[in-house]
Amino acid sequence: MLKFIILSDLHIVPEGKLSHGLDTLDRLTQAVGYVNETHGDADFVICAGDLADHGEAAAYKRLKTEIERLNTPTYLTLGNHDDRPTFLDIFGSDLASETGNLDHVIDAEGYRVIVLDSSEPELMGSGRLSKAQLDWLAGQLDRAMDRPVVIVLHHNITKFHVQTDFIILEEPEALIDVVSRHPDVRQVISGHVHMTTAGTVRGIPFCTLGGGHYSIEPMLESRSGPVPGGPVPRREGPGQLAVVLCDEASVVVHMENFLDRHLVLAPDLFGWS
């Protein structure tokens, strides 16, 4: 059986700063301790984007020190809050694939796990996969027709009928077209939205984990009208990670809370609300 952990939305800040009132490095420290103690048998860990809150070098240096405490191999990719050149300056340019992005392919226990870098900061929240990345993904899928596949990226690949639908992956149909060429893609797993969801899009199963930052209580579009306006409630927690278990027949994704605080955060902590 293949077992791996996904951490997402870490939003690490430079020393002495908080992110919306939260000490995100302390939250990551708790997550790392939880993984080492509870899931020390995992094959690897994926950190699925929004590693830093504003892409600062000082934040990436703190992140690098902290994730080195993980007892398992670790793969990192980026989200909309990240800055790729700054990240590569700190972690090393050799982490970039031939696409220039932090795309990875991991073959383990009869599975292919593909990690995609959907960071495009100029889009102000949404994500993008370049044509080079989609071509790279197509090749990786074509070379894995004999095994099941799990895909991990930061941005969600379909609308959720919530207020954040304007910051999903740009042109998700292009990704779905490529993914659909493989007969056995068992999960597409994302972070980004700070809430837990699951569903299918054109027959492809997906889910999202809440991640390590604040959590959103979504206000849903109703059958009688659009998504309500106004700020959504945001809670201090839970801090959440995903445990992915893959055997010959199935993929199961457990959402586990390494931090169980659920206090509503004051609206004035979010100046852009």
Side-chain angles (χ1 to χ4, degrees), residues 1 4 24 31 33 37 78 96-97 114 209 224 245 268:
M1 182 175 71
F4 64 94
T24 51
E37 181 177 352
L78 303 181
S97 73
I114 299 174
L209 63 148
S224 60
L245 304 175
D268 60 6

Side-chain angles (χ1 to χ4, degrees), residues 43-260:
D43 293 284
F44 52 85
V45 173
I46 297 171
C47 295
D50 281 4
L51 308 179
D53 203 28
H54 297 289
E56 310 100 327
Y60 288 129
K61 289 177 182 178
R62 299 180 88 199
L63 170 70
K64 189 173 189 291
T65 298
E66 191 58 42
I67 63 171
E68 286 175 350
R69 296 179 48 240
L70 284 165
N71 295 330
T72 59
T74 306
Y75 299 86
L76 299 98
T77 195
L78 303 181
N80 50 288
H81 279 257
D82 290 304
D83 182 88
R84 189 177 297 107
T86 304
F87 173 89
L88 293 173
D89 281 346
I90 302 302
F91 281 83
S93 59
D94 58 311
L95 290 186
S97 73
E98 59 263 40
T99 67
N101 297 70
L102 271 76
D103 302 320
H104 310 282
V105 59
I106 309 160
D107 289 322
E109 301 295 334
Y111 271 78
R112 172 156 287 190
V113 179
I114 299 174
V115 184
L116 296 171
D117 174 357
S118 58
S119 173
E120 187 53 77
E122 71 178 31
L123 296 178
M124 299 300 292
S126 57
R128 176 182 292 162
L129 297 174
S130 68
K131 184 181 184 302
Q133 287 179 282
L134 292 173
D135 290 345
W136 178 88
L137 173 62
Q140 299 299 338
L141 291 171
D142 288 347
R143 289 188 287 275
M145 289 295 181
D146 60 338
R147 72 198 81 168
V149 172
V150 176
I151 296 173
V152 180
L153 74 164
H154 183 69
H155 287 83
N156 49 309
I157 63 170
T158 191
K159 292 183 177 180
F160 294 155
H161 307 284
V162 299
Q163 288 183 322
T164 54
D165 279 347
F166 70 100
I167 58 169
I168 71 170
L169 183 72
E170 182 184 71
E171 299 181 359
E173 289 293 327
L175 171 63
I176 296 165
D177 285 343
V178 174
V179 172
S180 297
R181 68 195 292 146
H182 194 283
D184 197 9
V185 174
R186 298 196 176 176
Q187 273 289 336
V188 177
I189 307 173
S190 305
H192 184 49
V193 288
H194 293 225
M195 59 187 178
T196 303
T197 70
T200 63
V201 53
R202 285 174 48 187
I204 298 167
F206 70 82
C207 62
T208 65
L209 63 148
H213 203 205
Y214 65 84
S215 294
I216 286 176
E217 292 185 15
M219 293 190 286
L220 305 182
E221 175 183 308
S222 70
R223 295 170 66 180
S224 60
V227 176
V232 296
R234 302 176 183 92
R235 293 188 178 272
E236 183 179 344
Q240 187 177 85
L241 53 80
V243 182
V244 187
L245 304 175
C246 312
D247 62 22
E248 184 176 347
S250 64
V251 170
V252 177
V253 185
H254 291 272
M255 305 302 180
E256 293 192 0
N257 297 341
F258 62 86
L259 175 65
D260 274 318

